[in-house]
């Protein structure tokens, strides 16, 4: 029997998720959205079914607004919520998206209690916290997708700046999904050559700042709405690692209970994603300067989470 992937939210990111999940033959796909948007999602699902002969995949894809249809899902990816508009911070979305995530969490808890859940909705670190609180799911079953995207952006900008293949850029971005996220130049390499040896301090500073503001750079260009291609791919990479037990080590927002000096918060840390879900958090020995940056991002996430009053 095929695996089942439930996409909660069939907007910009949701539709690309559906396309990628189909092309990768990850399983059957359910796109769930609010009743007023269910017909559009049914149309998107049908369009993707009709793409299958050329896309060369077999999958059953449906659109719905009924949680019964996600029954028994193996993976749930949540993008339901409002995206940012120009001039908005991720935190401006807090109150409206808390309500949406609470409703979604209750639906998932009832119909897909064993699913590995990947939360994408912003403000990310707070929304994954709310989802986890409402479902009461074990910590290995719930993660937030942000660091995987922030790291993709970091790698892309380095490749663009240095004129090298992105395939050869390795590195990571930790911390919350906001302007004080923590790219780690010290641990970034280009074909095994340390970034710190082939880029100037000025170039590195520029790359760090661009990565921190990458989401906002796109929101400004769009005017309305936020990035969707790269967030979708980033979430699919995590889902695929779970479904195929690829055991990728990816920066995800995971519930830290002591790791990195964080207690009871979801924040971006390197995670082993296996068939067990978020199997393990790897701890990196940070320098004093990196620790100070990490403290700053913890403070921001703590503040946003405390505003959730949950
Ligand atoms: O790295 C990251 N985590 C992110 C997060 C990167 C980019 C964007 N990020 C956030 O993802 C963004 O700030 C939003 O909060 C979400 C989804 O972004 P998207 O661009 O897909 O937003 P859309 O196109 O508005 O789609 C959201 C859909 C839309 O179709 C709504 O009708 C639906 O969510 N929606 C709901 N679905 C189900 N149930 C409820 N209650 C609901 N409310 C809205």
């Amino acid at each position: 029997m095929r695996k089942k992937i439930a996409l909660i939210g069939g907007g910009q990111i949701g539709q690309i998720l559906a396309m990628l999940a189909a092309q990768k033959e990850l399983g059957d796909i359910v796109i769930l959205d609010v009743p007023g948007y269910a017909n559009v999602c049914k149309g998107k699902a049908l369009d993707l079914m009709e793409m299958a002969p050329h896309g060369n995949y077999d999958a059953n894809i449906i659109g719905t607004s009924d949680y019964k249809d996600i029954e028994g899902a193996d993976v749930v990816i949540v993008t339901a919520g409002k995206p940012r508009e120009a001039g908005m911070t991720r935190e401006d979305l807090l109150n409206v998206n808390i309500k949406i995530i609470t409703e979604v969490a209750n639906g998932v808890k009832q119909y897909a209690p064993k699913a590995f859940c990947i939360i994408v909705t912003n403000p990310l670190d707070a929304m994954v916290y709310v989802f986890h609180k409402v479902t009461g799911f074990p910590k290995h079953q719930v993660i937030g997708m942000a660091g995987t995207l922030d790291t993709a952006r970091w790698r892309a900008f380095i490749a663009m700046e240095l004129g090298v293949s992105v395939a050869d850029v390795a590195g990571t971005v930790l911390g919350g999904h906001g302007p004080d996220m923590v790219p780690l130049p010290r641990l970034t390499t280009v074909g095994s050559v340390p970034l710190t040896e082939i880029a100037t301090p000025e170039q590195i500073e520029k790359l760090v700042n661009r990565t921190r503001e990458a989401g906002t750079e796109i929101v400004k260009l769009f005017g309305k709405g936020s990035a969707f291609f790269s967030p979708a791919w980033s979430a699919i990479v995590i889902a695929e690692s779970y479904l195929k037990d690829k055991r990728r080590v990816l920066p995800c927002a995971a519930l830290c209970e002591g790791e990195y000096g964080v207690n009871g918060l979801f924040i971006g840390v390197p995670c082993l994603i296996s068939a067990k879900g978020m199997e393990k958090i790897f701890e990196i020995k940070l320098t004093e300067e990196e620790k100070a940056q990490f403290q700053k991002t913890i403070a921001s996430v703590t503040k946003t989470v405390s505003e959730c009053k949950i």
Side-chain angles (χ1 to χ4, degrees):
M1 208 167 100
R2 284 191 205 131
K3 298 284 187 190
K4 181 167 173 177
I5 296 131
L7 306 174
I8 315 294
Q12 300 261 56
I13 301 179
Q15 67 187 5
I16 307 287
L17 284 170
M19 190 178 83
L20 293 172
Q23 285 189 306
K24 285 175 165 281
E25 291 195 313
L26 295 186
D28 289 334
I29 300 161
V30 179
I31 311 171
L32 184 146
D33 209 294
V34 291
Y37 202 64
N39 270 346
V40 177
C41 289
K42 285 180 185 169
K44 290 182 182 188
L46 191 56
D47 197 8
L48 283 166
M49 291 297 285
E50 292 164 10
M51 189 174 123
H54 293 309
N56 204 20
Y57 50 80
D58 285 300
N60 194 34
I61 309 167
I62 61 161
T64 185
S65 59
D66 187 345
Y67 275 92
K68 277 198 201 110
D69 291 324
I70 72 160
E71 190 154 26
D74 298 282
V75 170
V76 169
I77 308 181
V78 180
T79 60
K82 290 267 174 286
R84 282 197 287 166
E85 294 180 16
M88 284 175 91
T89 64
R90 293 178 177 94
E91 278 62 34
D92 290 336
L93 298 173
L94 193 63
N95 289 329
V96 50
N97 283 351
I98 284 178
K99 282 203 195 101
I100 294 174
I101 292 298
T102 302
E103 180 193 311
V104 171
N106 282 319
V108 173
K109 186 176 178 180
Q110 186 175 353
Y111 289 101
K114 298 274 180 253
F116 178 54
C117 302
I118 304 169
I119 314 305
V120 180
T121 307
N122 270 328
L124 189 274
D125 308 275
M127 292 305 102
V128 61
Y129 178 91
V130 170
F131 184 94
H132 177 254
K133 270 269 179 259
V134 176
T135 55
F137 286 170
K139 66 176 177 180
H140 65 80
Q141 206 182 324
V142 180
I143 56 119
M145 189 294 291
T148 312
L149 169 63
D150 298 326
T151 296
R153 288 170 166 165
W154 170 240
R155 290 174 56 199
F157 293 148
I158 291 168
M160 285 154 69
E161 175 73 19
L162 299 179
V164 298
S165 166
V166 76
D168 296 320
V169 182
T172 196
V173 178
L174 304 183
H177 186 52
D180 43 25
M181 65 182 71
V182 188
L184 291 173
R186 178 178 66 93
L187 300 176
T188 300
T189 56
V190 179
S192 295
V193 182
L195 178 69
T196 46
E197 290 179 25
I198 52 167
T200 64
E202 293 73 30
Q203 275 178 311
I204 292 176
E205 195 188 337
K206 194 172 84 177
L207 290 162
V208 166
N209 291 336
R210 189 166 184 197
T211 302
R212 287 179 164 155
E213 293 299 327
T216 305
E217 186 178 349
I218 289 187
V219 171
K220 274 191 195 149
L221 290 168
F222 285 171
K224 199 172 183 304
S226 46
F228 48 94
F229 291 116
S230 54
W233 253 111
S234 304
I236 285 292
V237 163
I238 300 171
E240 193 176 22
S241 188
Y242 170 72
L243 289 166
K244 297 185 180 167
D245 195 25
K246 284 174 74 90
R247 309 185 66 78
R248 300 276 319 261
V249 179
L250 300 163
C252 301
L255 180 62
C256 291
E257 292 176 308
E259 297 90 350
Y260 293 89
V262 179
N263 243 315
L265 275 188
F266 280 80
I267 199 154
V269 287
C271 296
L272 173 62
I273 307 292
S274 71
K276 291 184 182 154
M278 196 288 291
E279 186 176 324
K280 181 184 163 117
I281 295 172
F282 288 99
E283 284 204 75
I284 299 173
K285 278 191 192 129
L286 300 176
T287 64
E288 288 310 312
E289 195 194 331
E290 289 160 354
K291 273 188 200 157
Q293 288 183 30
F294 208 80
Q295 285 306 320
K296 209 168 150 206
T297 180
I298 294 172
S300 301
V301 174
T302 306
K303 182 168 170 288
T304 313
V305 166
S306 69
E307 283 162 16
C308 292
K309 297 183 187 68
I310 182 165

